[in-house]
Amino acid sequence: MDKLRSMEVFVAAVDAGSFAGAAQRCAMSAVMVGKHIRALEQMLGAALLTRTTRRQALTEIGRRYAEQCRAILAQIGAAESVAEAMRAAPRGLVKATAPVSFGAQWLSPAIAEYLARYPDVTVDLSLNDRTVDLVEEGFDIAVRIGPLPDSTLVARPLKPYGMAICASPAYLERHGTPRTPADLQGHECLEFTGWLPQARWKLKGEQDGRLVRPGRFRANSTAALRMAALNGFGIVMQAELILADDIAAGRLVPLLRDWLPAPRPMHLVYSRDRRATPKLTTFVDFLLERFGP
């Protein structure tokens, strides 16, 4: 028999003072009440109740056991209430991961707005340019850039991750403005070392990116390369989202727009769960509202 159900029946028998009363409370026969209690007594190796034709009484072990049963059942009820409340309103922890540049510049401010809207939710954001295993590493949701492999994860498309090529006005004044990809041979092209070999300075129509020679400054941080470009050292190719504010303010000048590489797909991915909690569904909906296609 189900041990927890037997404990519930036992406590009902104690409270009602009879098997018949417990049977009414538990929607079962008095015979079944007796079976539940005998199952507990057999498991414990001790009598819990003494019964006569007129009354029943708890043994010493039965009294102590009833106290513990009440405490256990109360804790279970509290746990169920918490779970029910969490499913009724967004609350609890969301563990998210995203690429470093997108996460730092765009996702973080959006999360701050989401948290203001849902004060009972906490977000733990991990910024990492590697592809994490959501299940193995305990993440609820991830932002992924680039083609997705086949998987059982749910994938929701976001706005494609378009690129921009830019330089500061001071750099262009000193070194001239490149008009074609071939002109880049004479320029300092800042290189992100986190690019895959096939994704480095490969412009539209190129097969292998050979038109751009490696620059003298390379880094594994898009923020470092952006600052180098802003300080007039070279030409940077980064996500349009990252450089948009600098372009709008005139700090960087867009170049070679006709030769930009094709935008890469960007998705939200999360595990398939038919019982998704409000914290996750509201987080997904919010990010789709902000960054959707």
Side-chain angles (χ1 to χ4, degrees), residues 112-165:
E113 185 178 334
Y114 170 82
L115 293 174
R117 189 180 297 185
Y118 299 105
D120 293 327
V121 179
T122 299
V123 175
D124 183 338
L125 176 63
S126 175
L127 300 183
N128 202 313
D129 287 325
R130 67 180 177 84
T131 300
V132 304
D133 186 312
L134 296 190
V135 177
E136 284 288 325
E137 301 182 48
F139 286 100
D140 298 301
I141 191 167
V143 175
R144 289 191 176 158
I145 298 170
L148 292 177
D150 291 337
S151 76
T152 59
L153 298 175
V154 178
R156 306 289 299 275
L158 302 177
K159 182 179 179 181
Y161 200 69
M163 304 299 284
I165 298 173

Side-chain angles (χ1 to χ4, degrees), residues 228-276:
L230 288 170
N231 282 278
F233 181 77
I235 299 174
V236 67
M237 181 168 74
Q238 283 186 3
E240 186 179 15
L241 280 171
I242 296 171
L243 303 179
D245 290 345
D246 295 320
I247 293 171
R251 295 186 292 268
L252 291 176
V253 178
L255 307 168
L256 302 172
R257 285 177 165 167
D258 292 337
W259 283 275
L260 292 174
R264 287 182 290 163
M266 184 163 64
H267 292 86
L268 279 180
V269 298
Y270 51 93
S271 296
R272 193 177 302 277
D273 183 359
R274 294 178 182 175
R275 299 167 299 171

